[in-house]
Amino acid sequence: MRKTLLTLIMICSVFCTANAQKIGHFSYNAVLKGLPAYITAQQDLERMRKQYAEELQTGEREFTEKYELFIEQQPTLAPAISEKRRTELQELYNSNMKFRDESQRMLKQTEQDTMTPIKESIKSAINTIGQRGGYLLIVNTDSDACPYLDGASTTDVTAEILSLLR
C-alpha cells in the first residue's frame, strides 16, 4: 500500500510538471510475448512439463498395477512375503512422490533461469529507450499501480522496445 501510494504521488507530481517532460508507457506482456526467446522458452518448458507428467503417469500406473496385484494375492501370501511387498509398495509410492516434488522444483528453477535473462534484456531496452528518448518515466500499463493513463499525453513505446530487442 505504501509503495503504491508513493508511486501515485510520484506520478501526480510528474503530471504536474509534464508540460516539458516526456512520459512513455508500454505493455510488458505484449513485449514479452513478442520476443522469439520467450516463445522458445515457453515451448521448451511445456515440453519439459509434458515429459515429467508422462513419467509421473508411468510411475502411478506401475504403482497401481503392483498394488492391485498385491491386494489380489495378499490372502494367499505368507506374512513375510506380504510384509516385503507392502514395504516395496511404500518405497515405490515414496519414490513417486519424491519425483513429483523434485520435478516441480526443477521446472520452477528452469523457468526462473530461462526468464531472468529475458527480463533483464527487457529492462535494459526500457532504460535505453528512456535515455535515448529523454523520457522522464516509462510506465508498465499491465500492472495495477497505474489504473489510468491518458494515452494522448503519453507515448506508447511497446513497439520501440520490441524493435530494440529483436
Side-chain angles (χ1 to χ4, degrees), residues 11-94:
I11 289 172
C12 287
S13 67
V14 167
F15 281 123
C16 291
T17 59
N19 295 342
Q21 303 295 331
K22 288 173 65 176
I23 298 172
H25 66 273
F26 75 106
S27 169
Y28 191 89
N29 290 331
V31 169
L32 194 60
K33 291 176 182 174
L35 295 177
Y38 173 77
I39 294 167
T40 301
Q42 291 304 305
Q43 290 170 344
D44 292 346
L45 285 167
E46 188 55 37
R47 195 172 18 262
M48 277 183 75
R49 280 186 193 95
K50 191 174 184 178
Q51 288 176 349
Y52 283 128
E54 288 171 359
E55 187 61 28
L56 281 168
Q57 286 178 343
T58 300
E60 288 173 2
R61 219 174 7 258
E62 179 185 3
F63 175 80
T64 301
E65 288 169 3
K66 288 184 177 187
Y67 179 74
E68 288 173 352
L69 182 63
F70 172 70
I71 294 298
E72 182 181 307
Q73 295 176 345
Q74 186 181 18
T76 61
L77 295 175
I81 295 173
S82 180
E83 185 58 35
K84 176 184 174 275
R85 295 223 182 133
R86 199 175 283 128
T87 301
E88 288 172 352
L89 284 169
Q90 186 62 49
E91 288 172 0
L92 183 58
Y93 176 80
N94 290 342

Side-chain angles (χ1 to χ4, degrees), residues 48 52 56 95-110:
M48 277 183 75
Y52 283 128
L56 281 168
S95 174
N96 285 344
M97 292 300 103
K98 183 178 178 183
F99 179 76
R100 183 199 65 199
D101 294 344
E102 184 64 15
S103 64
Q104 288 174 350
R105 187 196 64 75
M106 289 176 69
L107 279 169
K108 189 179 247 183
Q109 184 64 48
T110 301

Side-chain angles (χ1 to χ4, degrees), residues 101-141:
D101 294 344
E102 184 64 15
S103 64
Q104 288 174 350
R105 187 196 64 75
M106 289 176 69
L107 279 169
K108 189 179 247 183
Q109 184 64 48
T110 301
E111 183 174 18
Q112 184 179 1
D113 292 346
T114 304
M115 292 304 296
T116 297
I118 294 171
K119 289 179 179 181
E120 288 298 321
S121 67
I122 292 172
K123 184 177 179 182
S124 176
I126 293 167
N127 288 335
T128 300
I129 290 169
Q131 291 170 354
R132 280 186 195 166
Y135 289 96
L136 174 67
L137 180 69
I138 298 178
V139 179
N140 175 6
T141 57

Side-chain angles (χ1 to χ4, degrees), residues 140-151:
N140 175 6
T141 57
D142 294 339
S143 66
D144 289 337
C146 188
Y148 172 75
L149 189 65
D150 182 6

